């Protein structure tokens, strides 16, 4: 049986090392990380018992290690909150962490301090989850096909092993050894803890008096992760932006569905469900995916509410799309590609790019377009022309549904038309079902009864709001089917009509999922959650969507640059170069001073205009000086605001660690246009600054790696 991660770890801080050991496993080797070199080794814990240490702390696990410009840091989990049990295994949410520097005397540097701030700001709110005894990076169907004798981190799905990069030092030591210990080191396995990023809710509840556990897990891919407008489409390896796998789980006769302190233990606060003891545990799960439209495309922020859309040629993106769908078919089987973008307006080119991509991948593609009174293209499907499949890509089934046109006027119930259209495919798709026999719970093996043979991959422009609605409807349809198969519902009945309390739980769980996925990508909660929570579109919900839209605009233009930098830093897309103190100034604003000053001039203009308008005129005083003062500052404010909006590329908060090529091009075009401005042009320096060549050379010095 494989060694599971330690549930309790003590950290001893000494001047020359950090020593990690498990009090509950006194015979296990202690992990020593030398200071300041970062060399890793395993030692006999008893030999280190007399070592002089300055501090001893207890932690929940090691998140990983990361090197910045001046130092390397160990990121430890200091507090974890139990959120529920799956098959008796406790799952935890990371609440707080700490960064342990390897240098005993820290040296402060502006860039180093900024890197640390990015990491802390990224880790603290990030919804990250882990378990000591069950692999939550994999769906139940993939878990059933695994070797339970492998260490937990080796079983982890590489896509959803969120801390894989910062665990690289420990994993490299495990596979290759280190200084003085050159052979593989399997005894380090209990110190390697895989973590997922996303959403996880587990609810022990009842349906019509039958005890059960229902849960939703959304796993966000670590590949091409980032923020809304800075990560779109595919990368060269075929990884899609905002790619998430969502699994809805239903468990009956889970005798250990309560909460407790440690996985697998009957700790304080754990309520054991004795009703399920001795019965076969029924496990059912249904998996869906979402991901950005598989093409090379981007939306360029320019402070306009609607960003500029850029789409590269289909031929250039074809190898990446082929790699993407090759992986999806290998993992999930047939892929039903549900596309929800608009067929008209600015989203139309994205729709066309997707369809052209599928037509090139599928052999002998056959299209079918269905229209009605509302729209000329209600459904648009692309599949292989029949006969024996010639390639694996013939397992792609493209389904376009004009979501906005069909649900216009708060008629969200019309989205059910998509489910009706896919009914035959959903019936054939099935879902995963397995039985955990009482005698088999020792080795954790499942007796599989049915497998999910395909997956629905849903997308809209952001893979957020419209996607959330459709995924919750697919989950609802499948859950009805599960209850019917279990004998808890009559054929043709719906759980929403049978148990209002369970219906409310289901709605809130999927609305929470929508908010979490949306916040991690766009910075705000999701739109249209009134439909998910209440089952109908409301005016209050529409007003809330307006508030979300404004907040997204502000965050995506002025706050997402540092957020994207934090993603790139944590996931290893950008690795800081080693350097001297103050030698980098990676985060310095190198735009010309006059460009930087325009927002401040606009603020002064608005302020003085407001003061002039509110200043009472003294008796007998002439009017024209005050009016002249008001008109002057109003003109200054108006010109400044017009300049900012006309040259928005200069005022978007761009990522600085891994600059986007289209941002570089846009900056150069905008700064060239500014030089022709009659007022500011002569004041702008002729040499390139801002997102300049020098800045990009500096950024390129950092090692970039996408694993």
């Amino acid at each position: 049986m494989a060694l599971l991660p330690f549930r309790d770890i003590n950290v001893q801080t000494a001047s020359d090392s950090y020593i990690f050991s498990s009090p509950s496993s006194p015979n296990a080797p202690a992990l020593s990380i030398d200071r300041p070199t970062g060399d890793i080794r395993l030692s006999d814990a008893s030999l280190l018992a007399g070592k002089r240490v300055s501090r001893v702390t207890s932690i929940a696990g090691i998140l990983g290690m990361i090197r910045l410009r001046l130092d390397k840091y160990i990121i430890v989990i200091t507090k974890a909150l139990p959120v529920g049990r799956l098959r008796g295994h406790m799952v935890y949410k990371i609440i707080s962490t700490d960064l342990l520097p390897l240098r005993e005397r820290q040296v402060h540097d502006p860039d180093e301090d900024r890197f640390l701030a990015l990491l802390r700001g990224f880790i603290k709110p990030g919804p990250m989850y882990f378990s000591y005894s069950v692999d939550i990076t994999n769906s139940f169907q993939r878990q059933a096909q695994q070797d339970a004798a492998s260490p937990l981190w080796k079983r982890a799905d590489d896509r959803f092993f969120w801390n894989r990069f910062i665990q690289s030092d420990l994993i490299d030591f495990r596979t290759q050894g280190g200084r003085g210990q050159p052979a593989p080191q399997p005894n380090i396995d209990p110190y390697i803890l895989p973590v997922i990023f996303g959403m996880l809710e587990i609810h022990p509840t009842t349906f019509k008096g039958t005890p059960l556990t229902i849960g939703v897990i959304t796993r966000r891919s670590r590949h091409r992760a980032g923020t809304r407008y800075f990560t779109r489409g595919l990368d060269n390896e075929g990884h899609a932006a905002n790619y998430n796998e969502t699994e809805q789980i239903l468990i009956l006769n889970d005798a250990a569905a309560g909460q407790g302190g440690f996985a697998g233990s009957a700790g304080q606060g754990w309520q054991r469900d004795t009703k399920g003891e001795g019965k076969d545990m029924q496990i059912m799960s249904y998996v869906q995916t979402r991901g950005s439209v598989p093409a090379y495309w981007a939306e360029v922020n320019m402070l306009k509410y609607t960003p500029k859309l850029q789409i590269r040629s289909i031929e250039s993106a074809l190898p990446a799309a082929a790699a993407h769908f090759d992986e999806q078919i290998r993992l999930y089987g047939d892929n039903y590609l549900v596309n929800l973008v608009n067929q008209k307006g600015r989203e139309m080119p994205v729709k066309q790019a997707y369809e052209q991509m599928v037509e090139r991948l599928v052999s002998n593609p056959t299209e079918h377009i269905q229209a009605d009174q509302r729209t000329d293209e209600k459904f648009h499907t692309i599949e292989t022309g029949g006969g024996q499949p010639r390639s694996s890509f013939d397992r792609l089934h493209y389904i376009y549904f004009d979501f906005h046109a069909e649900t216009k006027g708060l008629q969200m119930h019309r989205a059910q038309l998509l489910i009706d259209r896919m009914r035959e495919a959903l019936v054939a798709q099935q879902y995963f079902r397995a039985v955990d026999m009482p005698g088999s719970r020792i080795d954790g093996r499942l007796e599989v009864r049915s497998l999910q043979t395909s997956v629905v991959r849903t997308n809209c422009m952001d893979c957020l709001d419209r996607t959330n609605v459709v995924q919750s409807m697919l989950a609802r349809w499948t859950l009805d089917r599960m209850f019917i198969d279990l004998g808890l519902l009559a054929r043709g009945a719906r759980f929403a009509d049978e148990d209002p309390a369970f219906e409310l739980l289901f709605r809130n769980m999927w609305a929470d999922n929508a908010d979490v996925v949306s916040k991690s990508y766009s910075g705000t909660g999701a739109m249209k959650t009134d439909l998910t929570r209440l089952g109908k579109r409301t005016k209050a919900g529409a007003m809330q969507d307006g508030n979300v839209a404004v907040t997204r605009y502000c965050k995506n233009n002025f706050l997402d640059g540092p957020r994207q930098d934090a993603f790139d830093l944590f996931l290893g897309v950008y690795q800081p170069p080693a350097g001297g103190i103050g030698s980098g100034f990676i985060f310095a604003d190198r735009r010309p001073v006059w460009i930087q000053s325009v927002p401040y001039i606009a603020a002064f203009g608005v302020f003085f205009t407001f003061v002039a308008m509110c200043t009472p005129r003294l008796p007998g005083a002439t009017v024209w000086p005050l009016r002249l003062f008001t008109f002057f500052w109003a003109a200054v404010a108006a010109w400044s605001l017009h300049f900012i909006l006309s040259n928005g590329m200069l005022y978007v908060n761009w990522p600085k660690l891994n600059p986007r090529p289209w941002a570089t091009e846009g900056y150069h075009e905008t700064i060239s246009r500014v030089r022709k401005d009659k007022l500011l042009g002569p004041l702008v320096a002729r040499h390139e600054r801002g997102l300049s060549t020098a800045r990009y050379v500096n950024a390129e010095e950092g090692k970039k790696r996408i694993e």
Side-chain angles (χ1 to χ4, degrees):
M1 193 68 179
L3 290 175
L4 296 174
F6 291 135
R7 302 186 182 105
D8 54 340
I9 298 177
N10 285 344
V11 185
Q12 302 177 55
T13 304
S15 60
D16 61 347
S17 64
Y18 289 106
I19 303 169
F20 299 83
S21 59
S22 173
S24 61
S25 304
N27 296 325
L31 171 66
S32 296
I33 301 179
D34 289 345
R35 308 177 66 184
T37 62
D39 290 338
I40 300 172
R41 66 178 185 276
L42 292 173
S43 307
D44 189 335
S46 61
L47 299 179
L48 301 173
K51 188 178 181 69
R52 176 179 292 182
V53 297
S54 60
R55 186 180 58 171
V56 179
T57 55
S58 179
I59 63 172
I62 302 173
L63 191 60
M65 299 173 64
I66 188 167
R67 177 176 292 282
L68 303 181
R69 277 175 52 81
L70 302 179
D71 200 0
K72 180 177 279 191
Y73 300 82
I74 308 170
I75 309 174
V76 296
I77 304 168
T78 55
K79 185 178 181 182
L81 176 70
V83 294
R85 290 180 183 270
L86 290 174
R87 295 179 60 209
H89 302 279
M90 181 58 70
V91 181
Y92 298 85
K93 181 178 182 180
I94 296 176
I95 300 299
S96 62
T97 59
D98 194 13
L99 275 72
L100 307 179
L102 292 189
R103 290 182 183 269
E104 189 174 9
R105 294 183 179 180
Q106 282 209 266
V107 180
H108 290 284
D109 166 75
D111 286 344
E112 188 83 355
D113 293 342
R114 185 69 179 272
F115 283 134
L116 290 171
L118 285 175
L119 281 176
R120 292 189 175 105
F122 177 76
I123 295 173
K124 184 176 180 180
M128 289 185 277
Y129 300 86
F130 68 91
S131 174
Y132 297 111
S133 53
V134 65
D135 176 18
I136 61 173
T137 68
N138 276 295
S139 66
F140 271 105
Q141 181 161 315
R142 294 197 298 273
Q143 289 181 39
Q145 301 166 356
Q146 291 178 333
D147 180 8
S150 298
L152 195 63
W153 70 270
K154 280 193 171 184
R155 288 180 257 161
D157 190 315
D158 183 71
R159 298 172 298 163
F160 309 122
F161 191 165
W162 188 252
N163 57 329
R164 175 60 178 81
F165 168 71
I166 59 174
Q167 287 280 4
S168 297
D169 286 345
L170 298 183
I171 292 174
D172 290 346
F173 179 77
R174 164 64 174 85
T175 56
Q176 304 170 15
R179 184 178 301 176
Q181 297 174 317
Q185 302 292 322
N187 287 328
I188 201 176
D189 287 337
Y191 293 101
I192 303 176
L193 183 66
V195 167
I196 68 166
F197 184 100
M199 183 272 187
L200 190 149
E201 282 191 16
I202 304 169
H203 296 281
T205 184
T206 60
F207 175 69
K208 296 175 62 177
T210 301
L212 53 82
T213 298
I214 186 169
V216 170
I217 303 177
T218 291
R219 309 170 178 97
R220 185 173 187 184
S221 173
R222 68 186 182 91
H223 301 296
R224 197 158 177 75
T227 59
R228 184 183 179 202
Y229 286 138
F230 297 144
T231 47
R232 295 289 209 191
L234 298 176
D235 62 15
N236 293 334
E237 286 74 34
H239 301 129
N242 197 25
Y243 183 88
N244 292 264
E245 176 190 81
T246 299
E247 181 180 19
Q248 178 175 267
I249 301 164
L250 184 68
I251 303 178
L252 270 69
N253 303 324
D254 190 351
Q259 292 190 357
F262 297 106
S265 66
Q268 184 178 2
W270 178 44
Q271 301 298 320
R272 189 173 183 84
D273 180 12
T274 57
K275 295 180 181 180
E277 290 186 351
K279 298 181 180 179
D280 294 348
M281 184 188 299
Q282 302 274 344
I283 300 169
M284 286 145 282
S285 81
Y286 179 66
V287 170
Q288 306 178 64
T289 62
R290 74 175 78 191
S292 189
V293 170
Y296 287 157
W297 65 286
E299 287 186 288
V300 184
N301 289 9
M302 294 184 294
L303 295 190
K304 291 181 170 56
Y305 182 76
T306 304
K308 180 182 177 181
L309 183 65
Q310 291 185 355
I311 301 179
R312 289 172 56 185
S313 68
I314 301 302
E315 288 73 18
S316 65
L318 193 60
H324 174 73
F325 285 121
D326 182 68
E327 179 188 56
Q328 298 303 296
I329 292 169
R330 175 173 51 82
L331 291 171
Y332 301 108
D334 284 41
N335 272 235
Y336 290 86
L337 314 177
V338 176
N339 186 9
L340 304 174
V341 304
N342 295 339
Q343 61 173 296
K344 298 179 180 179
R346 62 178 297 271
E347 297 184 6
M348 180 179 67
V350 177
K351 171 184 178 292
Q352 293 174 339
Y354 200 166
E355 291 169 355
Q356 292 172 25
M357 190 69 71
V358 175
E359 288 173 349
R360 281 166 169 75
L361 290 173
V362 174
S363 60
N364 190 23
T366 300
E367 295 187 60
H368 177 72
I369 298 176
Q370 178 182 340
D372 63 7
Q373 295 179 348
R374 287 173 171 262
T375 173
D376 296 333
E377 196 173 352
K378 180 179 180 179
F379 289 107
H380 183 174
T381 61
I382 304 175
E383 294 182 298
T384 186
Q388 292 297 323
R390 300 180 184 178
S391 73
S392 62
F393 297 126
D394 290 344
R395 303 181 73 180
L396 299 178
H397 312 271
Y398 175 84
I399 305 170
Y400 171 74
F401 178 65
D402 195 343
F403 185 93
H404 278 159
E406 289 297 327
T407 60
K408 189 176 181 181
L410 303 182
Q411 299 188 57
M412 303 301 290
H413 64 279
R414 291 185 60 83
Q416 182 66 32
L417 294 171
L418 175 63
I419 308 300
D420 297 338
R421 176 68 175 74
M422 298 181 63
R423 182 175 298 274
E424 184 177 337
L426 294 176
V427 170
Q429 179 183 63
Q430 303 187 66
Y431 56 85
F432 174 76
R433 184 173 182 177
V435 176
D436 191 355
M437 302 288 192
S440 68
R441 293 178 188 174
I442 298 175
D443 58 12
R445 294 183 180 180
L446 299 175
E447 182 179 320
V448 177
R449 299 292 172 85
S450 68
L451 295 174
Q452 182 177 336
T453 59
S454 63
V455 72
V456 179
R457 182 195 191 276
T458 311
N459 74 269
C460 48
M461 286 294 282
D462 300 323
C463 304
L464 297 178
D465 311 313
R466 288 167 277 183
T467 299
N468 293 327
V469 173
V470 169
Q471 285 203 338
S472 67
M473 296 176 72
L474 290 167
R476 175 184 295 277
W477 188 93
T478 305
L479 190 56
D480 277 334
R481 184 181 179 187
M482 290 177 178
F483 283 144
I484 292 171
D485 292 346
L486 289 168
L488 299 178
L489 274 181
R491 189 165 300 277
R494 303 186 310 163
F495 71 81
D497 302 325
E498 300 287 335
D499 192 329
F502 184 85
E503 162 72 1
L504 180 62
L505 172 63
F506 175 87
R507 288 188 181 280
N508 286 327
M509 186 170 60
W510 274 93
D512 291 343
N513 178 67
D515 284 335
V516 170
V517 174
S518 177
K519 190 171 184 180
S520 66
Y521 189 52
S522 69
T524 71
M527 295 183 181
K528 300 180 177 67
T529 50
D530 55 334
L531 175 65
T532 310
R533 293 189 191 276
L534 305 176
K536 61 182 179 180
R537 204 73 171 97
T538 63
K539 292 183 178 179
M543 293 179 63
Q544 174 62 22
D545 286 355
N547 179 54
V548 169
V550 173
T551 305
R552 281 185 183 177
Y553 169 82
C554 296
K555 288 191 172 185
N556 297 161
N557 282 282
F558 305 117
L559 299 177
D560 272 0
R563 280 213 311 139
Q564 183 64 53
D565 287 337
F567 273 104
D568 292 341
L569 185 63
F570 184 90
L571 297 174
V573 178
Y574 173 87
Q575 298 180 45
I581 302 173
S583 64
F585 296 108
I586 296 169
F587 298 99
D589 187 349
R590 294 185 175 87
R591 293 175 300 169
V593 175
W594 279 104
I595 298 296
Q596 297 181 44
S597 66
V598 172
Y600 299 98
I601 295 173
F604 275 113
V606 172
F607 173 75
F608 283 124
T609 301
F610 179 77
V611 169
M613 293 175 65
C614 296
T615 301
R617 183 167 60 89
L618 296 176
T622 55
V623 177
W624 68 266
L626 184 59
R627 287 183 176 176
L628 184 61
F629 182 85
T630 305
F631 290 147
F632 172 78
W633 283 109
V636 169
W639 176 87
S640 301
L641 293 172
H642 177 266
F643 180 87
I644 292 171
L645 293 175
S646 300
N647 302 282
M649 290 287 296
L650 304 178
Y651 297 99
V652 172
N653 194 346
W654 299 104
K656 294 180 171 62
L657 301 184
N658 193 18
R660 276 46 185 167
W662 34 265
T664 313
E665 297 170 3
Y667 178 87
H668 285 302
E669 293 175 2
T670 306
I671 203 72
S672 298
R673 187 171 65 249
V674 169
R675 291 199 186 101
K676 300 175 183 178
D677 185 89
K678 295 181 179 179
L679 182 61
L680 269 189
L683 301 176
V684 176
R686 297 297 301 177
H687 63 279
E688 185 59 77
R689 303 181 76 178
L691 302 181
S692 62
T693 303
R695 176 175 169 188
Y696 281 94
V697 168
N698 183 41
E700 288 295 330
E701 289 175 358
K703 300 176 183 176
K704 299 174 185 174
R705 181 174 70 184
I706 302 177
E707 298 177 332

